[in-house]
Amino acid sequence: MPKLLRTISEVSDFTSLYHLVNRRIGLIPTMGALHEGHLELGRKARKECDCVIYSIFVNPIQFGKGEDLERYPRDMKGDMEKLDSVGADAVFAPETAIMYGKDHSTFVDTGRIGRILCGRTRKNHFRGVATVVLKLFNITGCDQAYFGKKDYQQFVILKKMVRELDLPHEIIGIDTIRDPDGLAMSSRNSYLSDSQRKSAVSIYRALSKAKGNLLKYKDKSDLIRDTRSVIEKEKSAEIEYLEIRNADDLSKIKSLKTGKKFVLMTAVKIGGTRLIDNIELN
Ligand code: AMP
């Protein structure tokens, strides 16, 4: 079993020897309720690092009012067993009070890029993500950290943070892991009823259809309209946004023909459950 670390000094004690002899530490930040997507990050880290540390922390400062902080799924025992199977060395699972004192007031401001797309409805979400990730970088002193491109905006924002704050850590992204029917794996999929789960498959169906038909479109608004209509065939689906952005910096694109890498990104509510997904268009 991986070693369970509850405090910052336990993490320091655990990592000190690795630091002393210059061994590579890989970090995988998560909120737990782990699935294959999370485990795939660890398998990659296992190949590349001497020490693999997962963090499991449902980070309150990245949740807004009325979001699912209280009911977010938690399964520490199951998570530890899964992490044993990928050969993780340690799990840092702190209580909230360890991470944030009562008067905590220092945050990473992610700027405009944190206010577009998901940031439009989830105010302060990326501020909370960047703050906890920077803390986890400092606590573990990791050399590299692994993130899923399923959370594409988060991935781009964290890379920008590392670049702009001159952090020594390397951000490594992995492709989205999906269920056999295409639905992107997510801890929040457990909120879906059977019929909602079936409707949710329309998200990936729509994104892959858009990618397959990309060359047929001259105008990006036609592509967006047709993609929306695939999702909207499902009565329970409500699109929060569906946008094509520049894959490197998430800036808006004028046309589909610039030869750059694009990413088609969406957030869709199925019933009350908010799901995100994206597909890279080259
Ligand atoms: P979370 O526990 O949802 O905060 O996710 C922790 C990490 O796992 C993040 O870097 C996510 O992007 C990544 N992740 C979550 N779901 C997937 C997935 N289906 N495929 C790949 N990575 C994922």
Side-chain angles (χ1 to χ4, degrees):
M1 278 287 172
K3 193 162 171 52
L4 183 56
L5 311 168
R6 292 290 193 183
T7 64
I8 292 169
S9 60
E10 282 172 14
V11 178
S12 306
D13 288 347
F14 183 81
T15 53
S16 58
L17 194 60
Y18 290 96
H19 291 309
L20 195 68
V21 291
N22 248 327
R23 293 291 154 86
R24 283 195 94 63
I25 297 178
L27 171 72
I28 300 122
T30 80
M31 297 206 297
L34 303 178
H35 52 65
E36 270 300 306
H38 298 116
L39 302 187
E40 201 53 33
L41 294 166
R43 291 190 191 106
K44 187 163 167 62
R46 185 71 283 168
K47 285 188 200 135
E48 298 174 355
C49 302
D50 303 297
C51 173
V52 175
I53 305 179
Y54 273 78
S55 61
I56 295 182
F57 179 58
V58 182
N59 176 33
I61 67 166
Q62 71 185 67
F63 287 78
K65 277 206 184 84
E67 291 185 357
D68 56 345
L69 172 63
E70 272 79 35
R71 69 176 190 126
Y72 196 84
R74 288 160 170 90
D75 177 20
M76 201 55 203
K77 188 169 171 288
D79 288 350
M80 288 300 280
E81 282 161 15
K82 287 175 190 160
L83 294 185
D84 190 35
S85 78
V86 296
D89 296 293
V91 176
F92 176 45
E95 295 292 334
T96 300
I98 298 278
M99 294 296 277
Y100 304 113
K102 275 204 174 64
D103 61 347
H104 186 100
S105 62
T106 309
F107 300 91
V108 178
D109 182 350
T110 57
R112 214 190 84 77
I113 193 170
R115 293 193 289 271
I116 59 174
L117 302 163
C118 285
R120 266 203 300 264
T121 49
R122 303 196 73 192
K123 300 235 178 319
N124 290 330
H125 171 67
F126 291 108
R127 176 181 92 145
V129 170
T131 302
V132 79
V133 167
L134 181 57
K135 281 172 71 71
L136 292 167
F137 284 178
N138 288 333
I139 290 166
T140 60
C142 62
D143 297 280
Q144 42 212 65
Y146 295 79
F147 294 91
K149 290 193 194 169
K150 188 208 152 227
D151 298 272
Y152 198 88
Q153 186 174 7
Q154 168 176 291
F155 174 66
V156 173
I157 287 175
L158 293 176
K159 279 181 52 146
K160 193 167 194 274
M161 174 180 84
V162 161
R163 209 168 51 239
E164 294 179 347
L165 296 183
D166 310 300
L167 302 177
H169 320 276
E170 189 186 348
I171 301 269
I172 295 167
I174 72 143
D175 292 337
T176 302
I177 304 298
R178 299 178 181 281
D179 279 333
D181 59 10
L183 180 65
M185 288 190 180
S186 163
S187 307
R188 290 190 169 98
N189 290 353
S190 64
Y191 299 153
L192 300 170
S193 68
D194 287 351
S195 68
Q196 289 169 342
R197 171 75 188 60
K198 281 194 188 111
S199 300
V201 176
S202 67
I203 302 170
Y204 184 62
R205 196 184 310 128
L207 296 182
S208 28
K209 191 170 174 199
K211 186 181 173 97
N213 290 341
L214 183 64
L215 294 177
K216 293 187 193 148
Y217 289 95
K218 288 201 182 71
D219 192 343
K220 80 175 165 84
S221 50
D222 294 336
L223 176 63
I224 295 290
R225 187 201 55 228
D226 290 354
T227 308
R228 288 185 74 99
S229 78
V230 176
I231 298 172
E232 282 167 344
K233 274 198 194 110
E234 299 296 330
K235 281 203 188 73
S236 61
E238 194 188 313
I239 298 173
E240 187 183 293
Y241 67 79
L242 176 75
E243 293 189 36
I244 303 180
R245 295 272 175 160
N246 183 312
D248 292 327
D249 60 7
L250 303 185
S251 57
K252 283 191 173 158
I253 62 157
K254 288 199 177 69
S255 95
L256 293 169
K257 280 187 289 185
T258 58
K260 292 210 177 114
K261 253 174 56 183
F262 304 133
V263 58
L264 178 56
M265 306 169 74
T266 191
V268 180
K269 270 197 170 162
I270 306 269
T273 303
R274 186 177 178 282
L275 302 174
I276 57 169
D277 203 349
N278 67 83
I279 199 161
E280 287 176 79
L281 309 171
N282 296 310

